[in-house]
Amino acid sequence: MKNLLKVILLVVAFATLSFVSSNKETITVVIDAGHGGHDFGANHEEHFEKDLVTSISKKIVAMNSDKNIEILFTRDDDQFLGLSERTNYINKVKPDLVISLHVNKNKNASTNGFEIYVSDQSVAYKKSSELAQKLVTGLEKNTPLQNRGVKLAPFWILKKSEVPSLVLELGFLSNENDRKYITSEDGQSKISQAIIDFIATLN
Ligand SMILES: [Zn+2]
């Protein structure tokens, strides 16, 4: 009798476990590395925005160990992609979230920090704003960069993507501290980890 009870308990335990694991949904995120090819984006001396965001995109995938998180790219090499090519891909894949990565530049070298843009013309404006707030909080906690907050902009990628989407400006190439951080191996790893940790909270 005791053994039978043990067997029943084991069966119940396994059934519960398999139910829990099959119930965990896969999160799909498209990372959109801005610019590419002949479009270099912002630059400072030998540092180019298109290369920095490609490098961080690759780090995000390499550092992701969660099998329930699927990360896709609009581009993973140095090619030019038009804006509608990006949103056509996004609307075909229909991910849970799009993060478009960029770095900033300003005439004023003291301007610094990261910021996230969302669009109030997006069908997913409410969810995008909620997620943007969560991500700026995560980046503020896990990097030394200054939080410039969540802002509105009518960017194509934000307006035309039919899913929650964010444009993340990672920092200013024109600011010495930001530049040192976003061009360093360690800084890029910390940024990537903060993004992965944020994505994991979507499930
Ligand atoms: Zn850009």
Side-chain angles (χ1 to χ4, degrees), residues 40 42-49 51-52 173 179 183:
F40 285 69
N43 83 294
H44 181 93
E45 291 163 0
E46 79 281 16
H47 301 296
F48 295 102
E49 177 178 4
D51 300 326
L52 293 170
L173 272 180
R179 183 170 65 248
T183 58

Side-chain angles (χ1 to χ4, degrees), residues 35 41 49 102-103 169:
H35 313 277
E49 177 178 4
H102 292 259
V103 296
E169 292 277 1

Side-chain angles (χ1 to χ4, degrees), residues 32-101:
D32 172 54
H35 313 277
H38 63 75
D39 174 8
F40 285 69
N43 83 294
H44 181 93
E45 291 163 0
E46 79 281 16
H47 301 296
F48 295 102
E49 177 178 4
K50 65 168 188 175
D51 300 326
L52 293 170
V53 294
T54 310
S55 159
I56 293 169
S57 304
K58 287 182 176 165
K59 272 206 163 53
I60 293 171
V61 172
M63 290 169 67
N64 172 41
S65 56
D66 189 336
K67 282 194 240 63
N68 290 306
I69 298 175
E70 183 186 27
I71 295 171
L72 304 169
F73 298 115
T74 48
R75 70 171 179 89
D76 62 356
D77 56 5
D78 186 17
Q79 59 165 313
F80 176 76
L81 262 188
L83 291 174
S84 37
E85 280 177 277
R86 296 176 196 254
T87 46
N88 286 346
Y89 172 72
I90 288 163
N91 292 331
K92 200 173 73 189
V93 172
K94 293 195 184 359
D96 297 289
L97 176 68
V98 178
I99 305 175
S100 185
L101 295 178

Side-chain angles (χ1 to χ4, degrees), residues 136-174:
V136 287
T137 307
L139 284 165
E140 185 177 15
K141 227 184 262 172
N142 295 295
T143 73
L145 302 170
Q146 198 201 310
N147 180 1
R148 297 169 61 83
V150 178
K151 300 174 178 183
L152 280 178
F155 296 144
W156 177 278
I157 198 114
L158 300 175
K159 283 194 302 186
K160 299 289 180 182
S161 295
E162 294 158 1
V163 294
S165 42
L166 319 173
V167 166
L168 169 56
E169 292 277 1
L170 290 162
F172 286 79
L173 272 180
S174 40

